[in-house]
Amino acid sequence: MIMTVTARVIAAARSLVPSSQFPLLRPSSYVFAAQKSHSHTLLIRQMSSEAQSITTRLHSSGLLRSQGLIGGKWIDAYDGKTIEVQNPANGEVITNVPLMGKRETDDAISSAYDAFKSWSKLTAADRSNRLRKWYELLMAHKEEIGQLITLEQGKPLKEALGETNYGASFIEFFSEEAKRVYGDIISPTIADRRLLVLKQPVGVVGVITPWNFPLAMITRKVGPALASGCTVVIKPSELTPLTALAAAELSLQAGIPPGVVNVVMGDAPAIGDAILASSQVRKITFTGSTAVGKKLMAGAAGTVKRVSLELGGNAPCIIFDDADVDVAVKGSIAAKFRNSGQTCVCANRILVQEGIYEKFTNAFSKAVQNLQVGDGFGEGVAQGPLINEAAVQKVEKFLQDATTKGAEVLLGGKRHSLGMTFFEPTVVAGVKSDMLLSREEVFGPVAPLLPFRTEEEAIALANDTNAGLAAYIFTNNIQRSWRVTEALEYGMVGVNEGLISTEVAPFGGVKQSGLGREGSKYGMDEYLELKYVCLGNMDRQ
């Protein structure tokens, strides 16, 4: 579905944009500027036309839903209020969705609670078959789901299709794991007793997800929840609710009963408070900022809910002298610039050993310079827009803090000429540990480079943070890779690889990056309670 016309317009516009190294217009350049402005206008019109065409096709497919889902019924907010869902690439409104709050959430919880009684009693094989059907429908509608992700989130279509595959893989994986929930028989200490351990579903689960992966963050939680026998109330981000609604529609088509999957959106604090206050909700699973995660963890104490938290990161990417530079550059680009730098496992700090610092910096900057920025539906686009204006302002704030403290922008460093929330892929040198770029997630396309001398120094720099989600190492020394991996205080480590997420491996962090694990066989345990059963007087005739 990639449009070559859009690609040609983007290419034309880019060819007219002056290099960031020559930002000032000379007197003879006024005609050049006028041409650039005209091309930019054409580009915006083309982007808008293409988005409208895709929106129309999604409406026709039945996957562009604009209502919440409660008890198998599509409903509006009870007071009729709505919020706009915008395309971040051009600012246009895709559709309006309900501005729901406490009353709708309470009804969704009641619906999930009622459905739990029957869903949890189905055989594991039955739940498995329905999840498998859901997976097959997600894959059958892969193109539409990918387009929907690009439309509301902005990432390049190739990445969006990749997320669709990734998101669907969790439903497939947990459809299989549903049949592998095993208990135990324990050898008794008294002869006439028999000791058993059962695994049973937790109950109703509140699922709160972010905007950066509008499908995968849902399926990674809902897959194991449903496989275990739980029911869910999903609150997607108000910025990207449409993918969640499309996935929910397909779950109904797959034969997952009404009330098992519910979706509410709108007033985030009101919805969150309702989920926290309800005694019928027995678990909350959340992906998002550490600050919000702490509030949810505190709020869950009132009813002693189980909590799974996948929170912020501050991932170090350590490039040692003995690394293969080509492998390190490719891996660092993937770890840093995927989804325009808007992932919790992005390489937030790139630590480069002094012996290879200049060589790596030159090769890395050249690769970053070749990244094409544009609308996600454009051919060859590697980086789309940031999610909104607030995200751009955060990036600018971090860059200003760094440059005023002595850092040097080697590449990029400002808003892209495309306007809106597009930002230039940026490389910054001379970054120090006291800068915001080192202390907090920039969540944008900015790569800070920090030199180091020794392995011990690299480990100390890497661990000097409250976060502990993901880390990356590039080295050809197997002993070093093992030694450093063990020393890093992170839940996940990629060695000579920048893309490490997969449904078959546990995803999660340590320290203030969260609690629990998602994906893999370990992900099932987050939705199961252990029940010990003691059978006494078993020797009686």
Side-chain angles (χ1 to χ4, degrees):
M1 306 305 298
I2 298 170
M3 298 298 167
T4 55
V5 174
T6 303
R8 286 197 294 270
V9 177
I10 291 174
R14 287 175 63 84
S15 68
L16 293 170
V17 177
S19 167
S20 59
Q21 297 176 351
F22 305 100
L24 300 178
L25 289 175
R26 296 183 295 274
S28 60
S29 299
Y30 292 117
V31 173
F32 171 87
Q35 290 174 336
K36 183 183 78 170
S37 177
H38 178 64
S39 295
H40 179 69
T41 301
L42 289 176
L43 173 60
I44 296 300
R45 288 176 180 172
Q46 180 67 35
M47 288 162 54
S48 176
S49 175
E50 178 63 22
Q52 290 172 3
S53 175
I54 289 170
T55 301
T56 300
R57 291 198 295 273
L58 287 170
H59 264 300
S60 300
S61 72
L63 292 181
L64 185 53
R65 289 286 181 176
S66 56
Q67 295 175 296
L69 180 64
I70 298 178
K73 297 179 180 179
W74 296 101
I75 66 168
D76 296 317
Y78 294 161
D79 60 8
K81 293 182 179 179
T82 62
I83 53 176
E84 296 179 344
V85 181
Q86 297 182 345
N87 180 343
N90 56 28
E92 292 185 349
V93 176
I94 304 169
T95 189
N96 293 314
V97 296
L99 179 59
M100 294 176 160
K102 181 182 186 304
R103 288 195 297 152
E104 295 89 347
T105 305
D106 286 342
D107 286 350
I109 292 170
S110 295
S111 174
Y113 185 77
D114 291 340
F116 174 72
K117 300 168 188 175
S118 56
W119 178 252
S120 61
K121 296 298 187 294
L122 293 180
T123 65
D126 195 347
R127 291 197 300 270
S128 174
N129 290 336
R130 297 178 196 228
L131 284 169
R132 179 72 195 189
K133 180 62 176 176
W134 190 14
Y135 160 74
E136 291 170 352
L137 286 171
L138 286 168
M139 294 307 295
H141 293 279
K142 172 182 173 179
E143 293 292 332
E144 293 98 323
I145 298 293
Q147 290 170 353
L148 198 51
I149 292 172
T150 295
L151 200 62
E152 67 173 347
Q153 199 275 334
K155 66 180 61 175
L157 183 58
K158 182 178 180 181
E159 281 192 29
L161 293 172
E163 181 184 342
T164 305
N165 286 332
Y166 179 54
S169 72
F170 288 105
I171 303 301
E172 179 187 35
F173 181 85
F174 287 110
S175 73
E176 298 161 350
E177 287 298 299
K179 297 178 288 186
R180 303 189 183 114
V181 177
Y182 305 131
D184 286 299
I185 297 177
I186 301 173
S187 297
T189 56
I190 300 176
D192 69 343
R193 293 185 180 182
R194 300 296 181 268
L195 312 182
L196 298 82
V197 176
L198 307 179
K199 290 186 178 182
Q200 296 180 309
V202 170
V204 177
V205 179
V207 177
I208 304 175
T209 60
W211 49 263
N212 56 345
F213 289 90
L215 179 67
M217 295 301 96
I218 289 174
T219 56
R220 198 163 72 185
K221 301 172 186 297
V222 174
L226 268 57
S228 301
C230 299
T231 56
V232 298
V233 176
I234 304 169
K235 193 212 82 65
S237 168
E238 288 68 41
L239 299 174
T240 58
L242 304 181
T243 304
L245 295 173
E249 163 64 24
L250 293 177
S251 77
L252 292 175
Q253 294 182 23
I256 294 174
V260 173
V261 174
N262 304 273
V263 185
V264 293
M265 74 227 79
D267 185 342
I271 294 171
D273 288 345
I275 291 173
L276 287 171
S278 174
S279 60
Q280 293 181 336
V281 177
R282 297 310 312 141
K283 175 182 172 64
I284 291 178
T285 174
F286 168 75
T287 294
S289 71
T290 301
V292 174
K294 289 179 179 179
K295 291 180 180 179
L296 290 173
M297 190 174 180
T303 51
V304 195
K305 302 186 198 301
R306 291 183 64 172
V307 179
S308 294
L309 302 173
E310 194 263 284
L311 307 178
N314 188 0
C317 181
I318 308 174
I319 317 295
F320 287 101
D321 281 349
D322 56 29
D324 183 312
V325 173
D326 292 337
V327 170
V329 168
K330 181 181 178 182
S332 300
I333 293 285
K336 172 69 255 184
F337 290 99
R338 183 170 61 113
N339 199 18
S340 302
Q342 300 173 118
T343 84
C344 53
V345 293
C346 270
N348 204 56
R349 298 165 293 156
I350 301 178
L351 314 177
V352 188
Q353 199 161 13
E354 288 182 343
I356 202 174
Y357 183 83
E358 184 175 351
K359 181 178 181 181
F360 175 83
T361 299
N362 290 336
F364 181 75
S365 298
K366 183 178 180 180
V368 173
Q369 194 169 23
N370 289 330
L371 294 176
Q372 184 172 323
V373 179
D375 178 82
F377 292 107
E379 185 176 0
V381 168
Q383 180 184 302
L386 298 188
I387 189 63
N388 56 22
E389 176 63 21
V392 178
Q393 291 180 7
K394 179 182 179 181
V395 170
E396 291 178 327
K397 174 186 174 182
F398 278 40
L399 284 173
Q400 183 179 15
D401 172 79
T403 54
T404 56
K405 293 178 180 177
E408 178 187 4
V409 175
L410 300 181
L411 187 70
K414 63 182 185 299
R415 294 173 186 249
H416 198 278
S417 59
L418 289 173
M420 296 302 299
T421 58
F422 291 96
F423 202 89
E424 294 178 344
T426 300
V427 180
V428 184
V431 176
K432 301 293 193 302
S433 59
D434 64 336
M435 299 176 182
L436 287 175
L437 283 175
S438 288
R439 307 310 306 172
E440 301 177 24
E441 282 184 295
V442 65
F443 234 62
V446 179
L449 303 181
L450 294 80
F452 70 89
R453 292 181 181 178
T454 66
E455 180 180 307
E456 292 73 21
E457 182 186 359
I459 293 170
L461 286 170
N463 288 338
D464 184 23
T465 173
N466 289 328
L469 188 57
Y472 307 92
I473 305 167
F474 289 88
T475 177
N476 281 330
N477 184 316
I478 188 64
Q479 292 87 356
R480 168 177 278 165
S481 67
W482 192 254
R483 189 168 60 239
V484 175
T485 293
E486 289 183 332
L488 289 173
E489 298 169 352
Y490 291 84
M492 300 175 286
V493 180
V495 180
N496 294 325
E497 180 54 62
L499 299 176
I500 61 174
S501 299
T502 171
E503 74 278 11
V504 302
F507 189 103
V510 299
K511 297 195 287 189
Q512 294 187 28
S513 282
L515 301 170
R517 293 295 183 270
E518 296 183 333
S520 80
K521 65 177 183 179
Y522 305 103
M524 288 288 286
D525 293 337
E526 302 290 331
Y527 300 88
L528 294 166
E529 293 281 16
L530 297 181
K531 178 179 287 185
Y532 158 56
V533 181
C534 175
L535 304 177
N537 293 291
M538 295 298 288
D539 290 345
R540 293 174 67 98
Q541 296 297 320

